[in-house]
Amino acid sequence: MLTALATLGVLLLPVAGEARSKTAAHPHEKSVVIERSGPYAIRSLEFSKLKDTRRKDRPVGLKLHLPRYGGPYPLVIISHGAGGVWDSHLYQAEYLASHGYAVVCVEHVDSSSTSVKFYMSRAGGGESMREAMQRITTDAVAVLERPGDIRFAIDTLVAWNKSHKELAGRINTGKIAVMGHSFGAYTAMAVAGARPIVDHLKPRIGLGKGLAAEMGDSRVTFAMAMSPPGPGSKFFGPESYRSIKRPLILLSGSRDEQKGPDGRSMPAETRREILPLLPSGNRSLIWMANAEHVAFTDNPSMWLIPSPSRRDVQRISKALMLAACDYYLKGRNEARRLMKSKHLGNLRGEVVTSVELLEK
């Protein structure tokens, strides 16, 4: 229940109209004690009425954070978890933007807070929160269309970089990262090449067993998955990871329990089983002692939910996000050294007492 409350902690955040811009006077009012923002003043643009004409006018909301001037800036795309919105990773997005990145937060129509609230309403069936969350994470459309939302975001930014009156020439769409937490981690991994199982999807897909078609996007430079779904989840089985083609960084921890297909908790160590199943080369798992599932997202509502490890996890996660982006998207070799074991150990804190690096 705590996980569900965490992902739904953003339910009261407003979804604004088309292309409204704002300047972030201080992008980290709630988390300034954790890390310093970068040298760039940033602005945000909200696009709530976009539709993907290639997928029957499927709505896809995009919120873009980027430095106010200059560019081109490498592109980072963030996918929210079940019951989230485009602001589920607000502070992380603003942090990266302040360091010279164009960060696009995607809102997935079938698995956002709006969908959860509908299923919990009388018109939607009056389901409990747990039932509503279970429904959206096993809904075939919600699961299989999420990677398509990322492709749409890339297509849109490629087009805008050529002709948009405010964005043309400001985004480097040749360097792209995809990040996400939980359901968003599934999305990032699928875009990197992982193939989800269809066993638990409703309505049934094909024979109802086995792997879906690959949904990766070759334009993605690397992916980062926080609380990645391990084998035995409703998303992936042991064979799912073999088709991953992009560099992949996994973030998890010893209190990051995994939900099984029936909604019951599985040990956090299940997420450690992913690494041996991945193809070799540029794959890593960063394991934080005492890190909880709810600690990996960062927005105003999340800070209202008790999480002993959040301060440490957010400080560590932001440092790793920035280092990975600087290395893979900007080619800064010194950033690569920050992701090695001897440096990661220096990131430990009062609650996260160790940071372990496993590589393949």
Side-chain angles (χ1 to χ4, degrees):
M1 178 63 74
L2 182 58
T3 300
L5 288 171
T7 52
L8 291 171
V10 291
L11 283 175
L12 299 180
L13 291 177
V15 176
E18 184 77 9
R20 191 183 71 192
S21 66
K22 67 178 183 178
T23 300
H26 198 304
H28 305 294
E29 297 94 343
K30 301 289 184 180
S31 55
V32 67
V33 296
I34 299 178
E35 68 291 304
R36 296 179 182 273
S37 59
Y40 296 92
I42 67 171
R43 65 178 308 197
S44 301
L45 295 169
E46 299 178 354
F47 302 90
S48 61
K49 299 180 181 179
L50 300 174
K51 294 183 178 181
D52 188 349
T53 58
R54 297 180 182 179
R55 293 184 294 157
K56 301 179 180 179
D57 285 341
R58 175 180 169 85
V60 183
L62 300 179
K63 185 171 182 177
L64 173 64
H65 309 270
L66 78 167
R68 288 184 58 80
Y69 309 106
Y73 300 104
L75 177 61
V76 179
I77 302 174
I78 299 180
S79 171
H80 65 72
V85 293
W86 60 23
D87 276 338
S88 291
H89 296 269
L90 177 64
Y91 293 145
Q92 292 159 328
E94 292 178 334
Y95 178 74
L96 288 174
S98 75
H99 283 275
Y101 292 93
V103 185
V104 175
C105 299
V106 179
E107 188 156 314
H108 303 281
V109 64
D110 305 297
S111 49
S112 69
S113 62
T114 301
S115 294
V116 173
K117 288 192 291 184
F118 172 74
Y119 291 130
M120 293 176 66
S121 71
R122 180 177 298 178
E127 297 181 350
S128 67
M129 183 183 295
R130 178 175 178 176
E131 290 170 334
M133 298 286 281
Q134 180 77 359
R135 177 185 287 234
I136 63 175
T137 54
T138 55
D139 179 86
V141 174
V143 172
L144 298 180
E145 292 295 341
R146 271 178 159 252
D149 293 344
I150 304 301
R151 288 193 296 274
F152 172 76
I154 296 174
D155 292 341
T156 300
L157 270 295
V158 168
W160 286 352
N161 194 50
K162 296 177 181 178
S163 59
H164 193 281
K165 63 180 180 180
E166 297 179 86
L167 301 174
R170 302 197 59 213
I171 303 170
N172 181 358
T173 54
K175 295 292 184 180
I176 302 174
V178 178
M179 302 180 180
H181 173 250
S182 197
F183 205 178
Y186 150 77
T187 308
M189 294 168 76
V191 173
R195 297 173 62 189
I197 54 174
V198 301
D199 303 45
H200 311 290
L201 298 183
K202 301 174 183 178
R204 191 175 75 171
I205 302 297
L207 298 176
K209 296 288 183 182
L211 301 180
E214 186 181 331
M215 296 176 286
D217 194 312
S218 61
R219 295 173 294 182
V220 173
T221 308
F222 85 98
M224 176 176 282
M226 296 170 280
S227 300
S233 69
K234 66 186 70 173
F235 300 117
F236 294 133
E239 304 294 324
S240 295
Y241 310 100
R242 293 183 178 180
S243 51
I244 288 180
K245 297 181 174 65
R246 314 253 71 81
L248 176 64
I249 301 171
L250 309 175
L251 273 63
S252 187
S254 61
R255 296 184 63 192
D256 186 7
E257 293 184 349
Q258 174 170 302
K259 296 295 182 181
D262 59 359
R264 296 182 181 180
S265 292
M266 301 172 66
E269 284 70 22
T270 307
R271 302 187 195 274
R272 293 175 69 105
E273 298 174 10
I274 300 171
L275 193 64
L277 300 171
L278 294 172
S280 298
N282 289 316
R283 329 283 185 217
S284 61
L285 167 64
I286 296 167
W287 190 260
M288 306 179 200
N290 302 316
E292 310 129 317
H293 191 78
V294 298
F296 285 94
T297 55
D298 195 20
N299 61 64
S301 296
M302 292 301 295
W303 281 85
L304 301 177
I305 300 171
S307 169
S309 70
R310 178 172 288 115
R311 289 179 180 271
D312 284 346
V313 168
Q314 284 307 312
R315 174 177 50 78
I316 296 166
S317 296
K318 289 185 178 71
L320 293 172
M321 286 178 177
L322 182 59
C325 288
D326 281 354
Y327 174 69
Y328 283 110
L329 304 185
K330 293 184 177 179
R332 294 177 176 172
N333 289 325
E334 65 274 16
R336 179 69 165 177
R337 292 192 289 272
L338 297 176
M339 295 185 285
K340 294 299 182 180
S341 293
K342 63 179 181 180
H343 294 287
L344 290 177
N346 295 329
L347 294 176
R348 65 185 183 274
E350 294 182 1
V351 178
V352 176
T353 53
S354 69
V355 183
E356 179 185 4
L357 172 66
L358 302 172
E359 294 183 286
K360 185 175 181 182

